[in-house]
Amino acid sequence: MAAGPAAPRVLNVNVGVLGHIDSGKTALARALSTTGSTAAFDRAPQSRARGITLDLGFSCLRTALPPQLGPGPGELQFTLVDCPGHASLIRTIIGGAQIIDLMMLVIDVTKGMQTQSAECLVIGQIACQKMVVVLNKIDLLPEGKRQSAIEKMTKKMQKTLENTKFCGCPIVAVAAKPGGPEAPESENPLGVSELIEVTKKVKSMQMFHTPVTYAMQGDRVGICVTQFDPKLLERGLICTPESLHTIHAAIISLKKIQYFRGALQTKAKFHITVGHETVMGRVMFFSPAPADFNEEIQENVFNFEKDYLYQEEYLSKDSISSENKENDQAGEVQLPRQQWALLEFEKPVTCPKLCLVIGSKLDTDIHANTCRLAFHGVLLQGMEDKNYTETFLPKLKVYKLKHKEGQVERVMDDYSVIGRSLFKKETNIQIFVGLKVKLSTGEDGVIDGGFGQSGKFKIRIPDGLKPDTKMLLTVASKKKSKAGKGDTTKEDESSKNDSVQPVTISLLFKRYVFDTQKKMIQS
């Protein structure tokens, strides 16, 4: 029996249609499409009732496969992913952006860039490499001034995009639905021609009414499954076994989104979008040790053997303290090449490794003219164990630098002094015995033990006190003893003229954040 003709090769490209609400995205998708799915063009009753797009819509446009994309015969299929434009639906927009190869940013030519246009542009910079700007509704421009208005808006958009990855991208002017939503369907669009583990047996699959035998990530397919009640299914994920994991926390590499105002603080909560899920999560930022700030970091790999420095906030030029501003201007303040964050989710999420992660502040007023997207990154390591704080986090060597300062009270002998003001009265000084300290006069010492019950302690100076230090401390001690005899007038006069500075004691050590024993470590 002769085999039937082979199915033509179909190359699919997912095109995201993004933009501000009422910029005409759905009308553009309808004008471009040759086939619509059951979820296309706001067919859902809720969308029709409210007159806006509430969920992702899918439709497609097919054309002959260009020679440069491989040997024919075949077809090039553009799957149009129509995303909502309303600010409150940003979660859906982010989810849609993660499956697109090319983005169409739709701009109402009469209004230009709007708040959600800007947010969609930021999402596009994170999620895809190519973009086309569509200036829609040109039919609303007076015919005599139409061309000059289009040229003016084109220049504005070119200026907006010049510092983005989309600098120089195509800008096309169209009227997807001349006359507006109420216009008859007979009205032809203007300019569009230039814009081109439950296991069930799958009985059959279709891609826009065309039977297919396989599907891959990003494809829009209808699946006929035997013995399955569709009412039991919510939006989820279909995957090959073991390719996805449900995690309670994650380590990500990240970058701050430059348009986000304000600092990214450790312990702050953000809306974390992973795939099509958005959950609340708490963050902890950390960086390489300062000596490794300029070290080349291997992409998409996290090294558990290295030490990392805990940060109170993500380090950026905006976060440099005022005392370091002058150093920054002189080029002396360094920022690390790479930073990371520990994300702890309020509820578990299911996702693949190395997926895109976006952190947002979606509780910001949607009417405020501000970017709500705070950071983006790549998920490097997920933590599947619910008890990850005990089983996993101790492997993460993030440390805090601790710095304590006290003063030398008096000399005991040439090789030991008594210190104070380094510890509280109730501190167990015994756990600090053996730690190294440094005097402001240059001597190195070691904490030998407590002295009395008031938090004082004894320091051993292995190389002995310098003569100048001993003299300085002896003079200070004599002045104190004179003051103790009650001559307050002389004490006040001497303190005014006293240029003797106290000898300070510095104790530096590091402590690993997730070390259950809370050990203090010195290099």
Side-chain angles (χ1 to χ4, degrees):
M1 185 174 174
R9 176 186 170 215
V10 176
L11 177 62
N12 183 69
V13 177
N14 285 346
V15 181
V17 186
L18 288 82
H20 195 86
I21 188 170
D22 288 335
S23 56
K25 299 181 297 299
T26 302
L28 179 64
R30 187 192 297 271
L32 286 168
S33 300
T34 53
T35 308
S37 73
T38 53
F41 316 136
D42 297 342
R43 284 177 180 163
Q46 299 93 328
S47 290
R48 292 194 173 189
R50 292 184 59 183
I52 61 172
T53 303
L54 296 176
D55 206 345
L56 301 178
F58 294 87
S59 58
C60 85
L61 161 68
R62 284 192 173 189
T63 184
L65 187 70
Q68 65 266 30
L69 295 180
E75 290 184 315
L76 178 60
Q77 175 178 280
F78 295 99
T79 297
L80 303 178
V81 185
D82 181 14
C83 296
H86 197 277
S88 63
L89 301 170
I90 189 74
R91 294 172 176 83
T92 306
I93 300 169
I94 294 171
Q98 296 191 65
I99 60 171
I100 65 176
D101 306 301
L102 168 71
M103 171 177 160
M104 284 197 297
L105 181 63
V106 184
I107 302 292
D108 183 335
V109 74
T110 65
K111 296 177 180 176
M113 285 290 286
Q114 296 171 270
T115 306
Q116 268 59 66
S117 313
E119 285 193 337
C120 290
L121 176 57
V122 172
I123 293 168
Q125 287 202 88
I126 297 167
C128 67
Q129 297 301 317
K130 299 289 184 181
M131 184 176 79
V132 176
V133 175
V134 180
L135 303 179
N136 195 15
K137 303 188 180 182
I138 60 171
D139 58 304
L140 300 182
L141 299 171
E143 197 164 342
K145 299 179 180 178
R146 183 175 296 171
Q147 192 55 41
S148 61
I150 291 171
E151 289 173 2
K152 186 176 180 182
M153 184 57 69
T154 299
K155 287 179 181 177
K156 277 189 177 181
M157 290 305 304
Q158 288 169 340
K159 184 73 176 174
T160 300
L161 299 173
E162 67 181 5
N163 293 319
T164 74
K165 67 161 72 168
F166 302 125
C167 179
C169 75
I171 300 175
V172 182
V174 306
K177 179 74 171 171
E182 306 305 321
E185 294 298 325
S186 57
E187 285 287 340
N188 292 322
L190 303 176
V192 169
S193 58
E194 285 79 23
L195 184 65
I196 294 297
E197 174 157 340
V198 174
T199 307
K200 292 284 183 181
K201 184 177 179 181
V202 175
K203 190 175 179 181
S204 63
M205 294 193 299
Q206 287 189 356
M207 185 183 295
F208 297 106
H209 310 305
T210 303
V212 293
T213 57
Y214 71 93
M216 60 186 290
Q217 183 178 352
D219 286 345
R220 166 76 179 180
V221 291
I223 302 176
C224 179
V225 182
T226 59
Q227 299 176 344
F228 189 80
D229 183 357
K231 293 178 181 176
L232 299 177
L233 181 66
E234 295 183 10
R235 171 172 281 168
L237 297 162
I238 295 177
C239 63
T240 53
E242 306 300 320
S243 63
L244 298 179
H245 304 279
T246 299
I247 58 175
H248 298 266
I251 295 170
I252 67 168
S253 59
L254 79 156
K255 299 284 185 187
K256 182 180 179 182
I257 291 171
Q258 61 179 347
Y259 308 107
F260 181 77
R261 296 174 187 167
L264 304 180
Q265 301 279 359
T266 282
K267 297 182 181 177
K269 285 186 177 182
F270 290 87
H271 294 85
I272 308 296
T273 302
V274 184
H276 287 273
E277 286 192 81
T278 298
V279 300
M280 293 301 295
R282 192 183 300 275
V283 299
M284 183 195 80
F285 298 104
F286 56 98
S287 70
D292 298 331
F293 270 17
N294 288 322
E295 188 177 293
E296 198 71 44
I297 304 295
Q298 192 174 352
E299 193 175 5
N300 295 338
V301 174
F302 186 79
N303 188 348
F304 283 92
E305 300 303 314
K306 281 187 168 288
D307 282 10
Y308 299 93
L309 178 61
Y310 173 93
Q311 299 291 355
E312 292 290 348
E313 63 181 279
Y314 180 90
L315 298 178
S316 64
K317 288 190 175 181
D318 297 334
S319 67
I320 297 171
S321 58
S322 54
E323 57 265 28
N324 284 329
K325 290 286 185 185
E326 292 180 10
N327 292 337
D328 178 47
Q329 290 170 3
E332 296 173 19
V333 173
Q334 289 188 326
L335 294 172
R337 285 191 175 189
Q338 182 63 68
Q339 296 181 64
W340 298 269
L342 169 67
L343 301 181
E344 297 183 85
F345 306 119
E346 289 193 353
K347 64 177 186 178
V349 298
T350 300
C351 60
K353 196 177 179 183
L354 301 181
C355 66
L356 174 66
V357 179
I358 297 177
S360 315
K361 284 285 189 181
L362 301 183
D363 47 1
T364 305
D365 181 3
I366 62 173
H367 302 294
N369 186 21
T370 183
C371 179
R372 296 175 293 168
L373 309 176
F375 61 83
H376 68 96
V378 176
L379 194 149
L380 303 178
Q381 181 72 50
M383 301 172 208
E384 297 179 63
D385 191 341
K386 194 173 183 180
N387 300 314
Y388 67 90
T389 54
E390 301 163 15
T391 60
F392 193 96
L393 288 188
K395 302 175 191 174
L396 182 58
K397 297 195 287 187
V398 176
Y399 67 88
K400 289 184 180 181
L401 283 174
K402 299 285 187 177
H403 181 208
K404 290 176 171 284
E405 276 206 352
Q407 290 184 8
V408 174
E409 184 173 79
R410 60 187 173 89
V411 177
M412 287 189 70
D413 55 47
D414 288 351
Y415 292 90
S416 55
V417 296
I418 302 299
R420 62 178 174 84
S421 304
L422 196 64
F423 306 112
K424 295 177 181 177
K425 184 179 178 181
E426 61 272 18
T427 301
N428 178 13
I429 295 176
Q430 199 59 34
I431 64 175
F432 292 90
V433 170
L435 291 184
K436 301 170 188 174
V437 295
K438 193 170 191 73
L439 305 189
S440 57
T441 47
E443 293 89 341
D444 293 317
V446 179
I447 297 176
D448 228 11
F451 187 83
Q453 303 297 315
S454 60
K456 294 179 182 178
F457 52 98
K458 184 179 176 182
I459 297 175
R460 178 167 48 86
I461 312 293
D463 295 331
L465 289 167
K466 297 176 185 175
D468 290 349
T469 305
K470 192 173 179 183
M471 185 181 297
L472 182 66
L473 291 170
T474 304
V475 169
S477 183
K478 284 180 180 178
K479 287 189 176 181
K480 281 186 182 178
S481 63
K482 284 181 183 179
K485 293 178 181 177
D487 193 348
T488 56
T489 306
K490 287 184 178 178
E491 181 193 354
D492 290 341
E493 288 176 2
S494 64
S495 64
K496 288 177 185 176
N497 300 321
D498 188 11
S499 60
V500 177
Q501 293 293 317
V503 176
T504 58
I505 305 161
S506 290
L507 170 62
L508 289 168
F509 61 91
K510 66 182 182 183
R511 181 178 273 161
Y512 290 104
V513 174
F514 303 113
D515 178 14
T516 53
Q517 299 179 7
K518 303 294 182 187
K519 289 182 290 190
M520 290 165 287
I521 296 169
Q522 291 182 313
S523 57

mmCIF file of all heavy atoms in Angstrom, residues 367-385:
data_model
loop_
_atom_site.group_PDB
_atom_site.id
_atom_site.type_symbol
_atom_site.label_atom_id
_atom_site.label_comp_id
_atom_site.label_asym_id
_atom_site.label_seq_id
_atom_site.Cartn_x
_atom_site.Cartn_y
_atom_site.Cartn_z
ATOM 1 N N HIS A 367 -2.858 53.859 38.713
ATOM 2 C CA HIS A 367 -2.975 55.176 38.076
ATOM 3 C C HIS A 367 -1.696 56.003 38.236
ATOM 4 O O HIS A 367 -1.584 57.079 37.661
ATOM 5 C CB HIS A 367 -4.166 55.933 38.657
ATOM 6 C CG HIS A 367 -5.474 55.201 38.499
ATOM 7 N ND1 HIS A 367 -6.035 54.962 37.259
ATOM 8 C CD2 HIS A 367 -6.301 54.628 39.411
ATOM 9 C CE1 HIS A 367 -7.162 54.286 37.410
ATOM 10 N NE2 HIS A 367 -7.352 54.067 38.707
ATOM 11 N N ALA A 368 -0.766 55.498 39.062
ATOM 12 C CA ALA A 368 0.503 56.217 39.239
ATOM 13 C C ALA A 368 1.365 56.003 38.004
ATOM 14 O O ALA A 368 1.427 54.902 37.449
ATOM 15 C CB ALA A 368 1.226 55.699 40.478
ATOM 16 N N ASN A 369 2.021 57.051 37.584
ATOM 17 C CA ASN A 369 2.872 56.976 36.391
ATOM 18 C C ASN A 369 4.243 56.430 36.784
ATOM 19 O O ASN A 369 5.234 57.147 36.828
ATOM 20 C CB ASN A 369 2.999 58.366 35.763
ATOM 21 C CG ASN A 369 3.752 58.308 34.440
ATOM 22 O OD1 ASN A 369 3.834 57.259 33.806
ATOM 23 N ND2 ASN A 369 4.340 59.424 34.041
ATOM 24 N N THR A 370 4.271 55.120 37.104
ATOM 25 C CA THR A 370 5.513 54.519 37.588
ATOM 26 C C THR A 370 5.583 53.069 37.137
ATOM 27 O O THR A 370 4.550 52.411 36.945
ATOM 28 C CB THR A 370 5.598 54.610 39.129
ATOM 29 O OG1 THR A 370 6.846 54.080 39.571
ATOM 30 C CG2 THR A 370 4.473 53.821 39.794
ATOM 31 N N CYS A 371 6.796 52.573 36.973
ATOM 32 C CA CYS A 371 7.010 51.187 36.560
ATOM 33 C C CYS A 371 6.869 50.266 37.772
ATOM 34 O O CYS A 371 7.538 50.473 38.790
ATOM 35 C CB CYS A 371 8.397 51.027 35.943
ATOM 36 S SG CYS A 371 8.774 49.341 35.423
ATOM 37 N N ARG A 372 6.022 49.253 37.643
ATOM 38 C CA ARG A 372 5.794 48.330 38.763
ATOM 39 C C ARG A 372 6.711 47.109 38.702
ATOM 40 O O ARG A 372 6.785 46.338 39.651
ATOM 41 C CB ARG A 372 4.336 47.865 38.762
ATOM 42 C CG ARG A 372 3.346 48.990 39.008
ATOM 43 C CD ARG A 372 1.916 48.505 38.877
ATOM 44 N NE ARG A 372 1.591 48.119 37.501
ATOM 45 C CZ ARG A 372 0.496 47.460 37.151
ATOM 46 N NH1 ARG A 372 -0.373 47.087 38.074
ATOM 47 N NH2 ARG A 372 0.268 47.166 35.886
ATOM 48 N N LEU A 373 7.405 46.930 37.595
ATOM 49 C CA LEU A 373 8.310 45.792 37.436
ATOM 50 C C LEU A 373 9.661 46.149 38.053
ATOM 51 O O LEU A 373 10.276 47.137 37.672
ATOM 52 C CB LEU A 373 8.477 45.445 35.962
ATOM 53 C CG LEU A 373 7.165 45.264 35.182
ATOM 54 C CD1 LEU A 373 7.454 45.022 33.718
ATOM 55 C CD2 LEU A 373 6.354 44.125 35.763
ATOM 56 N N ALA A 374 10.108 45.335 39.030
ATOM 57 C CA ALA A 374 11.280 45.700 39.826
ATOM 58 C C ALA A 374 12.560 45.002 39.378
ATOM 59 O O ALA A 374 13.621 45.614 39.316
ATOM 60 C CB ALA A 374 11.007 45.385 41.305
ATOM 61 N N PHE A 375 12.489 43.700 39.108
ATOM 62 C CA PHE A 375 13.696 42.970 38.703
ATOM 63 C C PHE A 375 13.311 41.770 37.853
ATOM 64 O O PHE A 375 12.157 41.334 37.822
ATOM 65 C CB PHE A 375 14.516 42.521 39.922
ATOM 66 C CG PHE A 375 13.806 41.580 40.859
ATOM 67 C CD1 PHE A 375 13.753 40.201 40.619
ATOM 68 C CD2 PHE A 375 13.189 42.059 42.009
ATOM 69 C CE1 PHE A 375 13.102 39.341 41.484
ATOM 70 C CE2 PHE A 375 12.533 41.203 42.892
ATOM 71 C CZ PHE A 375 12.489 39.838 42.630
ATOM 72 N N HIS A 376 14.299 41.247 37.144
ATOM 73 C CA HIS A 376 14.105 40.013 36.376
ATOM 74 C C HIS A 376 15.340 39.161 36.515
ATOM 75 O O HIS A 376 16.439 39.662 36.814
ATOM 76 C CB HIS A 376 13.828 40.316 34.894
ATOM 77 C CG HIS A 376 14.995 40.903 34.165
ATOM 78 N ND1 HIS A 376 15.866 40.158 33.418
ATOM 79 C CD2 HIS A 376 15.435 42.184 34.086
ATOM 80 C CE1 HIS A 376 16.795 40.942 32.894
ATOM 81 N NE2 HIS A 376 16.557 42.184 33.282
ATOM 82 N N GLY A 377 15.170 37.866 36.349
ATOM 83 C CA GLY A 377 16.316 36.987 36.517
ATOM 84 C C GLY A 377 16.055 35.604 35.971
ATOM 85 O O GLY A 377 15.039 35.339 35.330
ATOM 86 N N VAL A 378 16.996 34.700 36.258
ATOM 87 C CA VAL A 378 16.925 33.313 35.808
ATOM 88 C C VAL A 378 16.942 32.407 37.030
ATOM 89 O O VAL A 378 17.757 32.593 37.942
ATOM 90 C CB VAL A 378 18.120 32.977 34.884
ATOM 91 C CG1 VAL A 378 18.110 31.498 34.492
ATOM 92 C CG2 VAL A 378 18.111 33.859 33.657
ATOM 93 N N LEU A 379 16.032 31.428 37.055
ATOM 94 C CA LEU A 379 15.971 30.500 38.175
ATOM 95 C C LEU A 379 17.091 29.467 38.029
ATOM 96 O O LEU A 379 17.097 28.682 37.087
ATOM 97 C CB LEU A 379 14.598 29.813 38.211
ATOM 98 C CG LEU A 379 14.246 29.069 39.497
ATOM 99 C CD1 LEU A 379 12.745 29.093 39.743
ATOM 100 C CD2 LEU A 379 14.742 27.631 39.468
ATOM 101 N N LEU A 380 18.048 29.504 38.964
ATOM 102 C CA LEU A 380 19.218 28.634 38.880
ATOM 103 C C LEU A 380 19.060 27.348 39.679
ATOM 104 O O LEU A 380 19.549 26.294 39.292
ATOM 105 C CB LEU A 380 20.468 29.382 39.374
ATOM 106 C CG LEU A 380 20.807 30.694 38.663
ATOM 107 C CD1 LEU A 380 22.027 31.327 39.297
ATOM 108 C CD2 LEU A 380 21.040 30.455 37.183
ATOM 109 N N GLN A 381 18.403 27.455 40.835
ATOM 110 C CA GLN A 381 18.277 26.295 41.710
ATOM 111 C C GLN A 381 16.963 26.369 42.475
ATOM 112 O O GLN A 381 16.701 27.349 43.172
ATOM 113 C CB GLN A 381 19.453 26.257 42.714
ATOM 114 C CG GLN A 381 19.424 25.075 43.649
ATOM 115 C CD GLN A 381 19.771 23.766 42.955
ATOM 116 O OE1 GLN A 381 20.784 23.689 42.265
ATOM 117 N NE2 GLN A 381 18.953 22.741 43.127
ATOM 118 N N GLY A 382 16.121 25.355 42.324
ATOM 119 C CA GLY A 382 14.871 25.288 43.073
ATOM 120 C C GLY A 382 15.006 24.373 44.278
ATOM 121 O O GLY A 382 15.842 23.463 44.292
ATOM 122 N N MET A 383 14.188 24.621 45.279
ATOM 123 C CA MET A 383 14.207 23.814 46.506
ATOM 124 C C MET A 383 12.852 23.117 46.649
ATOM 125 O O MET A 383 11.850 23.751 46.972
ATOM 126 C CB MET A 383 14.506 24.709 47.713
ATOM 127 C CG MET A 383 15.836 25.418 47.580
ATOM 128 S SD MET A 383 16.163 26.651 48.850
ATOM 129 C CE MET A 383 17.239 27.766 47.938
ATOM 130 N N GLU A 384 12.854 21.811 46.389
ATOM 131 C CA GLU A 384 11.612 21.048 46.374
ATOM 132 C C GLU A 384 11.176 20.608 47.769
ATOM 133 O O GLU A 384 9.989 20.399 48.000
ATOM 134 C CB GLU A 384 11.771 19.821 45.468
ATOM 135 C CG GLU A 384 12.039 20.166 44.009
ATOM 136 C CD GLU A 384 12.219 18.937 43.157
ATOM 137 O OE1 GLU A 384 11.266 18.150 43.051
ATOM 138 O OE2 GLU A 384 13.322 18.764 42.593
ATOM 139 N N ASP A 385 12.135 20.448 48.668
ATOM 140 C CA ASP A 385 11.812 19.973 50.015
ATOM 141 C C ASP A 385 11.100 21.066 50.800
ATOM 142 O O ASP A 385 11.584 22.200 50.881
ATOM 143 C CB ASP A 385 13.101 19.565 50.741
ATOM 144 C CG ASP A 385 12.836 18.813 52.046
ATOM 145 O OD1 ASP A 385 11.714 18.910 52.587
ATOM 146 O OD2 ASP A 385 13.756 18.126 52.509
#
